[in-house]
Structures are given as C-alpha cells and as structure tokens.
Amino acid sequence: MTTRTRTSDRASNRRARDRARDCNAGRVGLHPARATAAHAPGSVQRVAAAAGLLLLLAARAGADGPLRLADVVQAARQQSPQLEAARLRAKAAATLPAQVSTWEDPVISHEAWNFPDNFDIGRADNNIIKLSQKIPFPGKRTTAGEVAARSADVAARDADTVERDVVAAVERAYADLWRAHEELAVMRRQRALAERVAHLSEERYATNQAAQADVLRTHVEVTHMTNLEQAGELAIDAARAELNTLLGRGPTEPLGVPERAPVVHLPPTPDALVERALAARPEVAGQAAAIAREETSLKLARLAYLPDLEVSASRFLNSGQHDGFGAMLAVSVPIVHKARYDAGVGEVEARLAAERAERRRLEDRIRSEVTQAFLRLRTAHLQHQLLESTHVPQAEQALSVTETAYRSGNLDVLALLDSLRALEAVHLEHVQAGADMAKAAADLERAVGGEL
C-alpha cells in the first residue's frame, strides 16, 4: 500500500507539472467571437483593455503567482456577457427619446380625377399634388420624449444593478476558488501527517510494540487522504470553471492561486450602512426614474384630451381650365371618445401609485438585506477568529500529545487517528469560515451598493 501511495504522489506531481507547463504556454486569449467583435467600429479600445486584463490574469496564472481579486473584478466588468447585454439594452433605450419626440413624416400624394378609359392621366380633369403634415398639440411630442428619457434612465440603472450582481457573483466564485485551494492544502498536509503516523506504526510493528491491524488502519487513512486530495484537485477545476464562466472565458482557462480576502472591519451597528445603501443602490435611483417616468406619463395622458392638427397644401392641375392651389386644415375631436382618454389617465395613475408602493417595498428590502448581510459577516468573522485563536491550536496540541502518547505505548492507534481526523475537521471548518466571511462581505457590498 505504501508503494501505491508513492505512485499516486508521482502522478499528482506529474499533473502539477503539466498544469504549470500549460500555464507557461499562455493558453489564455480572446474567444473567436470576441476576436471578430474587435473589428467592430467603436469596440477596439474596449476589447484591447479587456485583452490586457486577460493577459494580466494569464501572466499571473502562468507564473503560478497570486490571483488578485481586484484584477478579477475588473476583468468581469470588461468581459461579462451578462453585463455587456445590460449595457447594450441601456444604449438602445437611450435612442428612444429622439424617435418619439419627432413629428410624423410629411406625406406627398397625387390624385387624378375623371381620367379617360385609356388611363391617360395627363387628360384627367384634375391632377392634384398635395403635401400634408400632422401636427400634434404643442407639448405632446416633447412630453413623450421625456417619458422615453426616463425609461432610458431606468435601463441605465438596471445596467448598474447587473454590474453589482456580476461583481458580487465574481467575488463569491473567487471565495469558492480560494476555499478549494485551501482545502487541497489541508488535505496534502493531512496526508503527510497520515504518512508520518503510518511510518510510526510500521516502526512499532517492527519492534512488536503494535499489532498488524494498526499498520493497516494507518495505511487506510493514508489512502483516504490521497483520495480526498484528488477530489480537492477536481474541486479546484470546478471552482475555476465557475469563475471563468463569469469572466466570459473558457471553463478550462488557467487561473492563479487566489489571495486571501482582506478582513473587513465593521461598525458596531448596520445603521450607517443602511443609510448609505438607500443613497447608493442603483435600484433606488432606478425606482426614482420609474416614478418620474410615470409622473411624466400622467402629464402626457392628460395632454391627450387636446386636439391634434393636420394641414395640407395642394396644387391643382386642371385639364382645359385654370390651374390653382388648395389648402386644408383638419382638427381632431378627442371629446367624442373622452371615456378612452379617461381610462388612459386612470391607468397611468394606477401605475404611478404602484411605482411609489414599489419604492417603499424596495427601501424595506434594502434595510433587511443590509442588516442580514451585516449579521452574517459579523457571525462569520467571530467564528473565524474563534477557530484561528482557539480551536486550531487546541487541535494541533491534541494531535501532538496523542502522537507522543502513542509513540510511548500509552495510547492505541485509534485514538491517534481520531485526533488526526479531528484536526482535519477543524482545519476544514477554519477554511470554510474564511470563505463564508469573504462571501458575506461580497453580499454586504452588494447590499450596500459599493465597496466597504
């Protein structure tokens, strides 16, 4: 069994060398679709910046150096397909005000009256060439443009919201990748400790101080740790794939080893963070724009009671008679269908009331999100501190004492293996607490609407 363990070690080392060689080969690059998009007008600088960020990530990965969270977040802001789609939707919405605030196109028409059976239009009694234009009541088109502008503001704030969502998702995926690397390090350390225990049991068995069952149990533990180490490598691959997907990259693209997230120092209460969130969250600004849009829509709905005009000028070409000109002025009569416009005003008033109620609901939700994220971060921070200052040292000391007692024959191997597994559990719990702390910080930044 010892021989198989060493074979596994050689296989693990070979896989590590292969990954390092792949990283040094610089396999990170733009996807073909992004390379094509780089030739689109106005996108060269953006793609160049994104490519620079990817090259930075690739350089860090190739050197097997630390992967900085700030670099990853910046790359996500440049490369995230979800964020790019939201920004393009906002860009499309920004073009609407110019469209709806413009009058309808003028119309040029030709009429021929009483032409002969041979369809000779030149011999018609009257040929009329007319130019007509519909003129909305003053203020209608301007107000419609204001409504569209408020809708564009809502779309822009939606894009900001998507950006915050993407950043939070990237930070959480980064924490998962860090946790996977740290857990793998724990497994490797535990395997080394298990091998040391196995070697100790072999020495005691060689001097008839331990039973053969002790040797078998310790080698089973070595095999168990080896399997967990291999599973840890797969967990890193899965976490890397998730983070790469959020960055708009291929799932197998190399990434460096994440740095540990900095500890966030929180105020004693979340009140200041709640006030900051109510002022900084893009959803609040978007809801204010939605209310302004409905207020302007109400103004537009009331303008619908006013008549629109249509004017036209005509040139008459009369066969056998004098030619002449004509003019026409038409006025719509909205009062005939007043009930329809009353319903339109009622609809907008209901939408306006709904948006105001939505603002109150949004503010309540923000207060709850900030408070809950604050408490989760404080809980994770306290748990992480407790594990780091108390549980981990105690577990390390317990293993040392138990190993000494087993070496002197005062304790059986099962107690030693229990101490080894207890140390593994405490280290894994410590790593999990660190990841929970980083995720809670990401959630709190998302709830506040900016960096802490």
Side-chain angles (χ1 to χ4, degrees):
M1 298 183 72
T2 303
T3 304
R4 286 197 296 271
T5 301
R6 292 174 179 171
T7 302
S8 176
D9 291 342
R10 288 196 296 270
S12 299
N13 294 333
R14 184 170 61 254
R15 285 194 297 273
R17 289 195 299 270
D18 291 341
R19 284 196 299 272
R21 184 172 61 254
D22 293 337
C23 291
N24 291 325
R27 294 187 297 169
V28 175
L30 288 175
H31 294 292
R34 304 194 190 286
T36 303
H39 298 287
S43 65
V44 175
Q45 293 181 349
R46 179 177 60 82
V47 174
L53 287 171
L54 290 178
L55 290 176
L56 176 61
L57 295 176
R60 292 186 180 277
D64 199 23
L67 181 66
R68 296 178 61 247
L69 178 59
D71 295 336
V72 174
V73 170
Q74 188 176 0
R77 286 192 170 110
Q78 293 286 345
Q79 284 294 105
S80 170
Q82 180 183 0
L83 181 53
E84 182 180 3
R87 287 170 175 167
L88 291 176
R89 286 193 294 269
K91 183 178 180 181
T95 65
L96 293 178
Q99 300 179 52
V100 301
S101 61
T102 307
W103 288 1
E104 293 184 16
D105 296 334
V107 177
I108 298 177
S109 61
H110 170 258
E111 299 179 20
W113 293 92
N114 197 24
F115 50 83
D117 292 341
N118 61 2
F119 295 97
D120 185 359
I121 297 177
R123 296 175 58 190
D125 289 348
N126 304 104
N127 277 283
I128 306 172
I129 300 175
K130 180 169 66 174
L131 173 65
S132 62
Q133 173 68 59
K134 291 183 178 180
I135 304 176
F137 193 89
K140 283 188 176 181
R141 290 295 185 178
T142 301
T143 306
E146 293 174 358
V147 172
R150 300 291 79 76
S151 296
D153 291 342
V154 173
R157 300 291 78 78
D158 287 343
D160 294 339
T161 300
V162 171
E163 180 178 351
R164 294 308 313 166
D165 289 337
V166 168
V167 170
V170 166
E171 290 175 345
R172 292 179 64 85
Y174 182 91
D176 285 333
L177 183 59
W178 174 84
R179 176 181 55 81
H181 277 280
E182 290 296 311
E183 287 181 350
L184 178 60
V186 170
M187 295 306 172
R188 287 173 175 170
R189 181 176 181 273
Q190 289 296 121
R191 180 170 62 84
L193 291 175
E195 289 175 346
R196 189 173 74 188
V197 170
H199 182 67
L200 178 59
S201 67
E202 290 173 354
E203 289 180 347
R204 288 178 53 80
Y205 175 68
T207 58
N208 294 323
Q209 296 179 354
Q212 185 179 12
D214 291 355
V215 177
L216 295 176
R217 289 189 182 99
T218 57
H219 280 283
V220 167
E221 189 68 19
V222 170
T223 302
H224 176 65
M225 288 295 107
T226 302
N227 292 336
L228 290 181
E229 182 181 346
Q230 294 173 351
E233 293 176 351
L234 296 177
I236 290 177
D237 292 338
R240 183 189 298 116
E242 176 65 20
L243 182 55
N244 274 327
T245 300
L246 293 172
L247 296 177
R249 308 167 69 211
T252 59
E253 297 289 347
L255 288 171
V257 179
E259 295 178 337
R260 179 176 177 176
V263 177
V264 178
H265 298 284
L266 294 175
T269 65
D271 296 341
L273 296 176
V274 169
E275 294 302 321
R276 178 182 169 187
L278 292 175
R281 283 278 289 264
E283 296 96 322
V284 176
Q287 193 59 37
I291 292 174
R293 178 189 61 195
E294 298 307 330
E295 291 174 343
T296 310
S297 297
L298 182 59
K299 178 182 176 181
L300 180 61
R302 288 169 176 166
L303 286 174
Y305 290 105
L306 301 176
D308 296 328
L309 304 177
E310 182 177 356
V311 298
S312 64
S314 304
R315 173 63 172 169
F316 289 81
L317 304 177
N318 303 317
S319 177
Q321 299 181 22
H322 294 292
D323 297 336
F325 294 92
M328 182 195 72
L329 174 64
V331 180
S332 64
V333 188
I335 194 66
V336 175
H337 300 293
K338 180 177 179 297
R340 182 178 69 182
Y341 300 109
D342 290 341
V345 171
E347 176 192 358
V348 178
E349 287 177 341
R351 290 206 309 263
L352 177 58
E355 294 295 348
R356 288 171 175 167
E358 178 64 22
R359 178 175 60 186
R360 295 193 299 270
R361 187 197 69 83
L362 176 62
E363 291 174 351
D364 292 340
R365 192 189 74 187
I366 288 174
R367 292 187 182 94
S368 175
E369 287 178 354
V370 173
T371 302
Q372 291 182 16
F374 176 87
L375 295 176
R376 285 199 303 271
L377 179 54
R378 181 171 289 277
T379 301
H381 184 258
L382 291 175
Q383 185 177 9
H384 185 267
Q385 281 187 325
L386 181 62
L387 286 164
E388 192 171 78
S389 61
T390 304
H391 291 182
V392 171
Q394 288 177 348
E396 295 277 2
Q397 184 179 8
L399 177 62
S400 177
V401 171
T402 305
E403 183 178 355
T404 301
Y406 176 72
R407 188 183 299 272
S408 62
N410 295 325
L411 204 65
D412 61 9
V413 72
L414 293 178
L416 179 57
L417 292 178
D418 286 342
S419 295
L420 186 63
R421 291 164 186 165
L423 178 62
E424 173 194 347
V426 169
H427 274 297
L428 291 178
E429 191 176 357
H430 181 231
V431 170
Q432 183 63 51
D436 290 342
M437 188 168 58
K439 288 183 178 181
D443 293 340
L444 184 56
E445 287 184 347
R446 174 64 185 89
V448 170
E451 295 182 358
L452 298 176

